[in-house]
Amino acid sequence: MSALVIAEHDNNELKQATLHAVTAASQLGGEVHILVAGEGSDAVAAQAAAVAGIAKVLHADDAAYGHGLAENVAPLIVGLAEGYDHLLACATTYGKNVMPRAAALLDVAQISEISEILSADSFIRPTYAGNAMATVESSDAKKVITVRATAFDAAAADGGSAAIEAVSGPGDQGLSRFERHELSVSERPELTSADIVISGGRGMQSGENFPLVEAVADRLGAAVGASRAAVDAGYVPNDYQVGQTGKVVAPNLYIAIGISGAIQHLAGMKDSKVIVAINKDEEAPIFQVADYGLVADLFKALPELAEELDKQGISKN
Amino acid sequence: MKVLVGIKRTIDANVKVRVKADESGVETANVKMTLNPFCEIAVEEAVRMKEAGSAEEIVVVTAGPEEARQTLMTALAIGADRAVHVVADQEIQPLAVAKVLKAVIEQEEPGLVILGKQAIDDDSNQTGQMLAALLNWPQATFASKITLGEGEAEVTREIDGGLETLTVKLPAVMTTDLRLNEPRYASLPNIMKAKKKPVDVKTVEELGVDAAPRLKIVKVAAPDKREAGVMVESVAELVEKLQNEAKVL
C-alpha cells in the first residue's frame, strides 16, 4: 500500500501545506511518495526529497505544470495513479481545485478536507461548517483525499533523503492559460501557519480602521485575518477571510476583534488553542467559545492593547 | 450564448445545525431550507450576463428531492428563464451530481456552466471541478471576476495568496466565490412570474446515470463542544491572563 502526496509550491519553495498532507499520508501506514509538478522546479523536488519519511519523489517538470493549472495537472496525476491506493493534497485553494478533477477522471469520489484517519478507507470530515462531524467509508478502489492542515501536524522538512525520479504526463491540454497573479505582499506570517492570529470583523466599521488591528499584530508577530462580514463589506481582501468558506486556522492564540461569531466564522477558528474575543456587545455568540472575553469598544481597546504589550515588554518590535 | 447554472437546496445558512440523537445525520425536519448562497451568486452572475447582452438564455438545473422545486423557483425569480429538475430521492453525492449535470449539458449544449464553489451543507467543494473533468472542459473555480470574450473568458480567481487570473476556452465550467457579485432580492412580481416559467422534470434513471453513493456515511456526530471561558474587566487583565495563565504571550 502506498500514498502519493501532491506537492504545493511556487517552483522555488515547497509550501508548508504539503507537510501537513505528508503527515496524513504517513498515518495510512504505507510508503509515502511526493509528486512535484512544476516548471524549473528542481529546488522544490530537492526540498521534497528531504522531507522526513518520504520514500520517493516524482518530479514532472514541464511548462504545462508551471502554474499548476488543473486541466494539465489532473491528467498527470491520473497517469501516475496506478501503484497508489491513496492520492492526497492539502485542502488549500490549489488542492481543492486540482484534486476533484483528478478524482472524476479516475471515476472515484473525493473525500474532502478530512480531519481524522480511522483506517485506510474510513475518515472523519467536518460538514455543516464543522457542526456535524461525518464518519465516511469509501468503497472506491482509490481514495482521493484533501486534508485539513490544522488537523495534522506538519511533517519535518528535513531528515529524509528520497530518490528523485523524473516523470512526465500528457502535458498541456490547451484548455486554459495563466495570465497573472496579484499576490498579497505582507511582512506578517501566513494566516494558516501563524502562531498568533488577530482578526477584525464588521465592528471595525471600515478598512481604514484595520491599522488598529495591524498595530497589535505587528507587536505580537501575528497574522491578520477577518470575518466574512468584513470581507463582504470590502474592508479587506478575500484572502484574509477566516471561516467555512475562507481559511481554517488553529493558532495558539486567536484574537477576534469586533466579530460577532457567526457559525461560518467559528468554523474557521474554533480549534484554536486559546481564543480571545473583544466585542462591545456582551451577547455576541463569540463569547460562548472564547477563553477570555472582554466587553469593550474596540476603538479604545485596541490602542490600549498595543500600549499594554509595549508596557509589559511583550512587543516584538 | 446559453448559460446553464447548477444549483443546490441546502439548510439555510443562519440555521443552527443539530445532529440527530441517533447520529444518522442532521436534523432537517421543520428546518428552513434555501438556495445555497454560492449557487445564488451563480444565478445572479448568469442574470447579469443576460442583462449585459452576452447570454441569451439561462437554464437552472438541480438534482434533488421533490422539495427542490422551491429552490428552482427562487432561481427563476432571480431571473433564470427555465428549469430542469432531476428528481433524486436518495442521497446524491458530488460525483453523481456531476454525472447528472453532464447528461443534462449534453442535451442543452450551453456555452458556459456556472456553479457555486461549495454547498454549505456537505462543504465538499467538488462538483464543478468534477463536471469540468467529465466534459473535458476548462475550469475556473472560486471566481471573483468573469470577463467574457470571443470563444474564451478571462477569470480572476480567489486563491490563498491573493488573486490569480486565467484565460479559459469556452465552453467552460466556472464556480463562484463570495465577491463575484451581490445577489439581488427577487421582487414580488418576479416571484409570481417564476411560477409560470417552464420546469422540465426528469429522473436520474432517465438520464442513465449511476448515482449510487461512493461514500457511506457511517455516522454524523456533534463536534467536541468548546466551553465558554471567563470574562475579563480590562485590557491589562487580559494581557496578564494571556501571559501568566494561558501562557501564550
Side-chain angles (χ1 to χ4, degrees), chain A residues 8 67 69-71 92-94 96-98 100-101 103-105 107-112 125-140 173-184 196 220 228 231-232 236-239 241 244-247 252-253 263 270-276 278 287-295 301 304-305 308-309 312 314, chain B residues 11 13-17 19 26 28 37-38 41 93 95 99 117-126 129-134 136-142 152 154 156-169 177-179 182 213-224 226-236 238-239 241-243 245-249:
Chain A
E8 184 164 345
H67 293 288
L69 294 171
E71 294 82 352
T92 56
T93 50
Y94 176 74
K96 287 172 178 176
N97 187 42
V98 171
R101 190 169 179 111
L105 293 175
D107 192 31
V108 302
Q110 176 182 268
I111 309 143
S112 293
R125 57 176 302 266
T127 61
Y128 293 92
N131 288 300
M133 304 302 287
T135 301
V136 297
E137 212 174 86
S138 164
S139 56
D140 287 317
Q173 303 297 295
L175 296 172
S176 57
R177 59 178 194 270
F178 172 83
E179 298 291 349
R180 60 190 171 273
H181 266 148
E182 291 156 63
L183 301 180
S184 303
I196 303 177
L220 294 172
R228 174 172 163 172
V231 171
D232 263 349
V236 287
N238 188 65
D239 53 299
Q241 193 197 149
Q244 180 184 16
T245 61
K247 286 174 185 159
N252 276 327
L253 173 60
I263 297 164
K270 70 184 167 61
D271 293 327
S272 305
K273 197 168 145 237
V274 174
I275 296 175
V276 168
I278 300 179
F287 288 127
Q288 288 163 21
V289 300
D291 299 286
Y292 300 101
L294 174 63
V295 178
E304 260 179 56
L305 181 53
E308 184 67 18
L309 294 171
Q312 298 301 326
I314 299 164
Chain B
I11 285 185
N14 298 311
V15 169
K16 177 97 183 85
V17 171
V19 168
V26 303
T28 51
F38 288 100
I41 295 172
Q93 295 179 347
L95 181 61
K99 289 179 178 180
K117 76 163 180 179
Q118 172 177 352
I120 60 162
D121 48 10
D122 64 12
D123 285 332
S124 286
N125 194 334
Q126 301 174 6
Q129 297 88 313
M130 289 184 150
L131 175 61
L134 298 177
N136 195 29
W137 287 6
Q139 66 187 49
T141 53
F142 327 145
E152 54 183 39
E154 192 177 88
T156 300
R157 308 176 54 231
E158 305 273 14
I159 59 166
D160 288 331
L163 299 172
E164 176 188 80
T165 302
L166 303 178
T167 295
V168 294
K169 285 198 172 146
D177 215 320
L178 198 62
R179 296 193 300 175
E182 236 175 275
R214 303 294 187 85
L215 289 183
K216 184 174 146 204
I217 296 168
V218 181
K219 73 167 188 177
V220 177
D224 296 338
R226 202 175 171 116
E227 297 299 328
V230 297
M231 299 303 284
V232 294
E233 294 302 322
S234 68
V235 166
L238 174 64
V239 171
K241 284 212 156 31
L242 290 177
Q243 240 184 325
E245 197 175 270
K247 300 191 194 308
V248 287
L249 289 184

Side-chain angles (χ1 to χ4, degrees), chain B residues 43-60:
Chain B
V43 176
E44 174 69 31
E45 191 67 13
V47 173
R48 290 187 189 191
M49 286 175 183
K50 192 178 173 193
E51 287 166 349
S54 44
E56 279 121 43
E57 191 189 23
I58 302 162
V59 184
V60 283

